[in-house]
Amino acid sequence: MRIKTIQDLLPFVEKPSRYLGTEINSIKKDYSHVKLSIALAFPDLYDIGTSHFGLQILYHILNSYQEIAAERVFAPGQDMEAHLRKYAIQLSTLETNRPLSRFDIIGFSLLYELNFTNILTILDLAGIPFLASQRDGSHPLIIAGGPCACNPEPLADIFDAMVIGDGETVITEICNRWLEWKESNNNDRQQLLKDLSGIKGVYVPCFFKPSYDVSGFQNLIPLLPGYEKIERAVVSNLELNHFPETPVIPFGRPVHDRLRLELARGCSRGCRFCQAGIIYRPVRERRMEDILALAKKSLLATGYEDLSLLSLSTGDYGCLPSLMEVLMEKYESQHVAISLPSLRADTLTKKLMGLVKRVRKTGFTIAPEAASQRLRNVINKNITDDEIFSTVLNAFNLGWTVIKLYFMIGLPSEKQDDIEAIIALVKDLSKTEKKGKRKKNINVSVSTFIPKPHTPFQWEPQVSLAESTDKILFLKDRLKGPGINFKWQNPKASFLEGIWARGDRRLCNLLVSAYTKGCRFDGWSDMFKFDLWEEALNETGVDAEFFTTRERANTEVLPWDHIETGVLKKHLIQELERSRSAEAAPGCRVNDCGNCGVCDFKTIAPRIYDINSTRHNVLEKPEENKEIASKKYIFVFSKTGSAKYFGHLELVSIFLRAFRRIGIKMKHSMGFHPKPKISFQRPLPVGMESLEESFYLTVLGETDTDGIISKLNQQLPEGLSVLTCRPAGKKKPAKEVETEAFLLTVGENSFSDEKLNNFLESKDVSITLVNKKGRKKIVNLKKAVLEIEKLSQNRLKMILRQEQGKSVQPLVVVKEIFSFQKERLKMIGILKLPTDKYNGIM
């Protein structure tokens, strides 16, 4: 087997479906009609990045243009990275396996500082130099955007251009400028960068030269006349045409495996620690009727059974109670659950919780951030103990059994009393009486406060690594007891994040050094290597405390001073002074304008809706659902080609969502978490193909068995095909001996006649197998293998006994008979055959 592409590597890596690119709603374009190709790069695993809302929006916008092709690429897992290097294969995109170096533009999403080493992984595996100064016209244009771009300096030497603010209109303008530049036959890359600098929200780092004074402060010298400040791009109205109505439906189990609808962008609360609350101002809500229309289209296009309503503060959305009522009326009968991931204790009413639990109880999280009222006033988290207690009590009494609480340690002016208040609050909440017999659990999560750019706390010191470690250990030792679970973010990871959050261009060398030493996926606790970061810090001479724990005057020149979010520095200083007096400040949603400076009240202003601004007809209830008789059907399908890389749970999800997309109403189980009544035969191992598998599904009402096959096959990814559908009769009595037939193929002359004959002539070939739980069983292969025959030097067929405690997998047989090693076993193709037809296979 010759390995040339990523697809050839799939048998050797975990979760191979990450790299398939055959998802429903993914877009593959004919490059003969494409003038501009863009790779949207997310510097984390597919499981994390594939459901990122910003990536979905850009993918939708770019692919809406016929002459533009946008494809996706994610940081490969470490096993895949090793194989790519071993076989000198360049990293490629999912949709067409096109090498990254062949794209015109590569755009990175910058969401988290501890993903920065993965940016270098992607560039390195694409054969693209890290530094912009080392690249020329033969390389793609490397750009980036996202919240981390609001302090672009630590990565400024890497990117040709960076987007500051909302990307919907900026990305289109970047594409237009690139197309104009290309059509002009001007190969001067510097001219392209000058053209891009004229777009509001685009920062071109090479047009600013850094200098450092005796105190170590970075000053940027503008090199392009008139290009001294970069104003944040703001989408004044969340237009419908920017919304991805048909998002890609990921394989596997992504971290956000649900339909996500953005209710609003921005937050008016003014929490002083919150960077998102500043860089996404002002609040811009969608109309309720627009959200309902999007929900209808997107649920139909995806088949999702969970809907999440997104916002920085979802509970503030003016139409939320009415919206929830309408959504539940429309979708409760379809068993679509609604989750509200960002709610404050003061907005989470008993009525709202009752609506959420009507289908099934989704996650429930409260983020007090601080446990004492004084410290909540300091950070401007305007909730009270009474509101927290009331919300938790209502949740427990409405049937929730797990409540999540989030706190930060190391907040400005924090005292020991504030730390002890966390312990007191959690223990008091754990004593809350609840209805019912089910035990209640409180999951407490604690992280270290990290001062972020463009916030009132950007001048505050971050607590030292030693201090944050002591405080977390103090809490860990005391937050124990029945029903209390304590988790924390590694203080070393928070310390490193703090360096990058307020860093300058000197950090680029640190990044390259850490990457070269082997740092990857630093945000993952099992892959974080702080010792290597310490080595890199020492070797590059970066003073970590300079960027984290030192005091800052509000007159200090900051690395991000040339980035204008719209919020005035004098407003941030005013809020900083208020915090030092523990003075809370009201938000501008229901109070007077706080004069932060972001709104011009012409094109940029808050867009807030309430139920009075919504058309009445969206509130009309649908007809009541009548009781419908159910019927069980059996579906027979094949699973071949790339579909062999789907795991069993993955396969179940693929089919259930396909049924939803074609409008099949499925019967659900009863209880706390209703699920469709579907059952598969014995799951296939990942990597095995089959010509004939089956499952049972109970549907409501009669079904056209012929029509459903055609519709269903149009909604399935490559390699899955439904062959037959019929009403399920009574189950046939089990055979005395159940058997399964397999055809095995390997790409070289591998099946030794001598070894096969030795097995056939043996009377007893007993082996010991160990399951995942460590339990051992002895199996005699002479009884487990009913028939085995060599068809050619590289093809083998076998019939195996399938009996509880006595069955084995085909690869176990091959390993024992032919002494194959682990890597060689993975190269074997296995096709499961219909037992009554296998004799026809030659």
Side-chain angles (χ1 to χ4, degrees):
M1 178 181 178
R2 297 188 64 185
I3 295 176
K4 296 181 179 180
T5 68
I6 285 181
Q7 302 304 307
D8 297 330
L9 296 173
L10 297 187
F12 305 100
V13 298
E14 66 172 359
K15 299 183 180 180
S17 62
R18 288 171 173 167
Y19 309 102
L20 291 179
T22 59
E23 306 100 321
I24 297 297
N25 295 335
S26 60
I27 299 171
K28 299 180 182 180
K29 290 196 173 182
D30 180 354
Y31 271 81
S32 65
H33 302 295
V34 170
K35 296 180 180 179
L36 171 60
S37 60
I38 301 181
L40 298 176
F42 195 95
D44 207 332
L45 292 177
Y46 174 93
D47 316 49
I48 304 298
T50 188
S51 52
H52 177 243
F53 194 64
L55 186 72
Q56 293 176 356
I57 290 175
L58 296 178
Y59 188 79
H60 165 75
I61 291 173
L62 292 169
N63 280 312
S64 67
Y65 296 96
Q66 185 177 357
E67 69 272 23
I68 299 174
E71 302 190 17
R72 298 162 297 142
V73 65
F74 301 89
Q78 290 189 302
D79 55 347
M80 176 60 87
E81 179 188 347
H83 282 97
L84 289 171
R85 294 188 187 282
K86 178 180 178 180
Y87 295 100
I89 297 172
Q90 193 179 117
L91 184 63
S92 56
T93 53
L94 292 180
E95 281 76 4
T96 62
N97 291 314
R98 185 182 177 91
L100 283 188
S101 62
R102 291 175 56 192
F103 280 80
D104 299 311
I105 300 175
I106 300 176
F108 283 85
S109 297
L110 305 180
L111 271 74
Y112 183 30
E113 290 87 349
L114 298 189
N115 282 343
F116 287 176
T117 51
N118 297 337
I119 297 170
L120 300 190
T121 302
I122 292 173
L123 292 175
D124 196 10
L125 291 173
I128 298 172
F130 295 153
L131 303 183
S133 60
Q134 297 173 343
R135 298 191 294 266
D136 56 31
S138 67
H139 297 107
L141 186 75
I142 309 298
I143 65 175
C148 289
C150 71
N151 175 19
E153 291 311 293
L155 301 177
D157 288 342
I158 293 174
F159 292 107
D160 297 307
M162 305 177 80
V163 175
I164 311 299
D166 297 331
E168 287 94 331
T169 57
V170 177
I171 192 64
T172 302
E173 291 187 57
I174 289 175
C175 291
N176 289 336
R177 298 291 175 95
W178 189 94
L179 287 167
E180 291 170 4
W181 171 76
K182 197 68 175 179
E183 290 171 3
S184 70
N185 293 317
N186 183 349
N187 294 321
D188 183 0
R189 197 178 182 93
Q190 201 74 357
Q191 182 58 51
L192 173 62
L193 296 177
K194 288 180 181 179
D195 293 343
L196 296 181
S197 71
I199 301 171
K200 182 178 180 179
V202 172
Y203 172 48
V204 180
C206 70
F207 293 144
F208 291 81
K209 181 181 179 180
S211 65
Y212 303 91
D213 62 21
V214 293
S215 299
F217 299 151
Q218 174 180 289
N219 289 272
L220 289 178
I221 303 169
L223 303 178
L224 193 65
Y227 187 58
E228 299 173 356
K229 299 285 186 179
I230 290 81
E231 293 183 39
R232 175 172 68 100
V234 180
V235 172
S236 60
N237 188 5
L238 301 184
E239 303 285 351
L240 277 178
N241 61 348
H242 287 155
F243 194 89
E245 297 174 355
T246 57
V248 175
I249 306 169
F251 294 141
R253 303 187 68 182
V255 66
H256 298 297
D257 193 17
R258 59 187 69 93
L259 177 64
R260 309 175 84 202
L261 296 182
E262 185 184 33
L263 295 185
R265 194 173 300 177
C267 178
S268 60
R269 291 286 184 162
C271 296
R272 293 173 180 134
F273 60 87
C274 182
Q275 185 184 66
I278 297 291
I279 65 174
Y280 290 116
R281 290 187 181 190
V283 174
R284 291 146 289 162
E285 295 182 344
R286 294 185 191 273
R287 291 183 183 274
M288 178 173 160
E289 52 262 43
D290 292 343
I291 294 167
L292 291 172
L294 289 169
K296 181 178 180 179
K297 292 178 182 178
S298 298
L299 286 170
L300 185 62
T302 61
Y304 277 121
E305 58 285 324
D306 290 277
L307 169 61
S308 183
L309 301 177
L310 300 182
S311 171
L312 289 175
S313 185
T314 304
D316 287 335
Y317 180 65
C319 305
L320 186 61
S322 299
L323 174 64
M324 285 293 295
E325 286 182 4
V326 176
L327 287 172
M328 295 313 303
E329 290 293 341
K330 285 179 176 288
Y331 300 114
E332 182 179 9
S333 63
Q334 299 176 34
H335 297 274
V336 175
I338 315 293
S339 62
L340 308 172
S342 181
L343 288 170
R344 295 167 56 100
D346 56 339
T347 61
L348 194 51
T349 63
K350 189 173 182 179
K351 177 181 179 181
L352 203 54
M353 286 188 276
L355 289 168
V356 170
K357 65 169 281 189
R358 277 172 60 174
V359 172
R360 56 182 173 271
K361 291 182 286 293
T362 52
F364 187 95
T365 302
I366 301 176
E369 314 293 358
S372 68
Q373 192 60 54
R374 182 199 71 82
L375 195 52
R376 286 199 292 269
N377 288 345
V378 168
I379 66 176
N380 208 37
K381 188 79 175 185
N382 295 323
I383 56 174
T384 65
D385 281 353
D386 287 344
E387 288 168 334
I388 295 170
F389 273 90
S390 174
T391 302
V392 170
L393 180 61
N394 285 336
F396 281 143
N397 287 336
L398 284 169
W400 270 271
T401 57
V402 178
I403 304 295
K404 298 178 184 178
L405 298 175
Y406 283 92
F407 297 96
M408 287 189 287
I409 55 101
L411 288 162
S413 82
E414 180 184 74
K415 299 178 174 60
Q416 183 61 24
D417 289 349
D418 299 307
I419 299 295
E420 293 177 355
I422 296 175
I423 300 167
L425 178 61
V426 171
K427 291 192 172 181
D428 286 346
L429 289 172
S430 71
K431 297 173 185 176
T432 304
E433 295 294 330
K434 67 179 285 290
K435 298 176 183 178
K437 297 180 180 179
R438 299 184 73 191
K439 293 182 180 180
K440 62 180 184 292
N441 289 280
I442 297 177
N443 294 340
V444 181
S445 181
V446 172
S447 62
T448 302
F449 164 67
I450 301 166
K452 292 294 179 85
H454 303 290
T455 68
F457 289 159
Q458 66 182 352
W459 294 284
E460 294 285 7
Q462 182 173 334
V463 294
S464 68
L465 175 56
E467 188 178 351
S468 65
T469 302
D470 289 344
K471 290 181 178 183
I472 286 175
L473 290 177
F474 180 85
L475 291 170
K476 178 177 178 286
D477 289 341
R478 288 159 178 80
L479 282 175
K480 298 177 180 178
I484 298 176
N485 303 301
F486 182 72
K487 295 182 179 180
W488 65 96
Q489 185 181 32
N490 187 339
K492 294 177 180 177
S494 299
F495 176 70
L496 183 62
E497 183 180 342
I499 295 173
W500 288 100
R502 294 188 289 179
D504 58 29
R505 294 197 187 188
R506 287 171 290 188
L507 296 189
C508 187
N509 289 336
L510 171 65
L511 184 66
V512 174
S513 175
Y515 172 77
T516 304
K517 292 178 180 297
C519 293
R520 309 282 193 279
F521 297 102
D522 302 295
W524 294 72
S525 58
D526 58 336
M527 290 184 264
F528 181 51
K529 301 172 183 175
F530 188 65
D531 57 329
L532 298 183
W533 278 101
E534 288 182 306
E535 290 181 17
L537 284 165
N538 290 331
E539 288 183 11
T540 57
V542 170
D543 180 1
E545 282 69 30
F546 179 84
F547 298 108
T548 54
T549 58
R550 68 179 177 84
E551 299 278 348
R552 288 168 170 79
N554 59 31
T555 55
E556 178 181 316
V557 176
L558 301 172
W560 53 90
D561 273 349
H562 57 305
I563 304 297
E564 296 189 340
T565 65
V567 176
L568 301 173
K569 182 175 280 192
K570 68 178 183 181
H571 175 78
L572 299 179
I573 294 173
Q574 181 184 42
E575 286 299 300
L576 177 66
E577 292 171 348
R578 283 178 169 176
S579 76
R580 291 172 175 170
S581 302
E583 178 187 345
C588 63
R589 175 179 287 270
V590 294
N591 297 284
D592 293 336
C593 173
N595 296 314
C596 74
V598 77
C599 296
D600 60 12
F601 299 102
K602 295 176 182 178
T603 56
I604 300 177
R607 286 183 175 268
I608 298 173
Y609 301 104
D610 58 30
I611 196 59
N612 295 322
S613 62
T614 299
R615 293 196 301 270
H616 177 71
N617 60 358
V618 303
L619 302 179
E620 294 176 0
K621 295 182 180 181
E623 295 181 8
E624 293 186 7
N625 290 303
K626 299 178 180 179
E627 189 69 28
I628 304 175
S630 62
K631 192 170 185 177
K632 181 183 284 189
Y633 291 84
I634 182 170
F635 292 81
V636 177
F637 67 97
S638 60
K639 181 178 181 236
T640 60
S642 61
K644 69 182 178 182
Y645 296 114
F646 298 140
H648 177 64
L649 294 178
E650 211 169 352
L651 189 67
V652 175
S653 178
I654 287 169
F655 272 109
L656 290 179
R657 288 171 181 171
F659 280 116
R660 287 180 174 275
R661 288 195 297 276
I662 65 173
I664 296 296
K665 295 182 178 180
M666 296 171 282
K667 185 176 177 64
H668 284 65
S669 62
M670 306 298 287
F672 290 101
H673 198 300
K675 295 183 178 180
K677 303 196 77 172
I678 188 171
S679 60
F680 283 70
Q681 67 179 69
R682 197 163 66 95
L684 288 176
V686 173
M688 183 182 292
E689 298 178 273
S690 177
L691 294 179
E692 191 175 285
E693 296 295 300
S694 64
F695 63 86
Y696 290 91
L697 179 72
T698 303
V699 304
L700 299 174
E702 292 290 333
T703 298
D704 174 11
T705 54
D706 292 328
I708 195 174
I709 294 175
S710 175
K711 292 179 181 178
L712 198 55
N713 283 334
Q714 292 176 33
Q715 295 295 328
L716 293 175
E718 293 176 18
L720 289 179
S721 180
V722 173
L723 307 174
T724 64
C725 168
R726 65 178 187 275
K730 294 182 179 179
K731 286 190 176 181
K732 296 179 181 179
K735 298 178 183 178
E736 291 185 11
V737 178
E738 291 287 344
T739 63
E740 289 183 346
F742 303 93
L743 177 67
L744 288 76
T745 307
V746 69
E748 56 188 44
N749 299 334
S750 298
F751 298 124
S752 164
D753 290 321
E754 181 182 355
K755 291 181 178 180
L756 179 58
N757 289 333
N758 288 340
F759 172 77
L760 293 173
E761 293 171 1
S762 299
K763 293 182 179 180
D764 186 299
V765 181
S766 293
I767 62 172
T768 301
L769 300 178
V770 182
N771 65 15
K772 293 180 180 179
K773 295 182 180 180
R775 296 174 182 171
K776 298 179 180 180
K777 69 175 181 179
I778 297 175
V779 176
N780 185 352
L781 289 186
K782 292 295 291 184
K783 293 182 178 180
V785 181
L786 299 179
E787 185 177 327
I788 184 167
E789 180 183 352
K790 182 177 174 182
L791 301 177
S792 67
Q793 289 299 320
N794 68 334
R795 300 177 79 212
L796 194 72
K797 70 174 182 179
M798 66 177 71
I799 299 178
L800 303 181
R801 179 194 299 268
Q802 296 302 322
E803 188 176 351
Q804 185 68 31
K806 298 180 181 180
S807 62
V808 293
Q809 291 293 340
L811 290 183
V812 173
V813 178
V814 173
K815 178 183 178 182
E816 184 64 30
I817 296 176
F818 299 102
S819 304
F820 276 25
Q821 298 301 311
K822 186 177 181 180
E823 287 300 303
R824 200 175 182 192
L825 285 171
K826 291 178 179 180
M827 300 173 71
I828 297 176
I830 307 175
L831 176 65
K832 182 182 171 186
L833 308 170
T835 306
D836 58 346
K837 300 176 183 177
Y838 85 94
N839 285 319
I841 301 294
M842 294 300 296

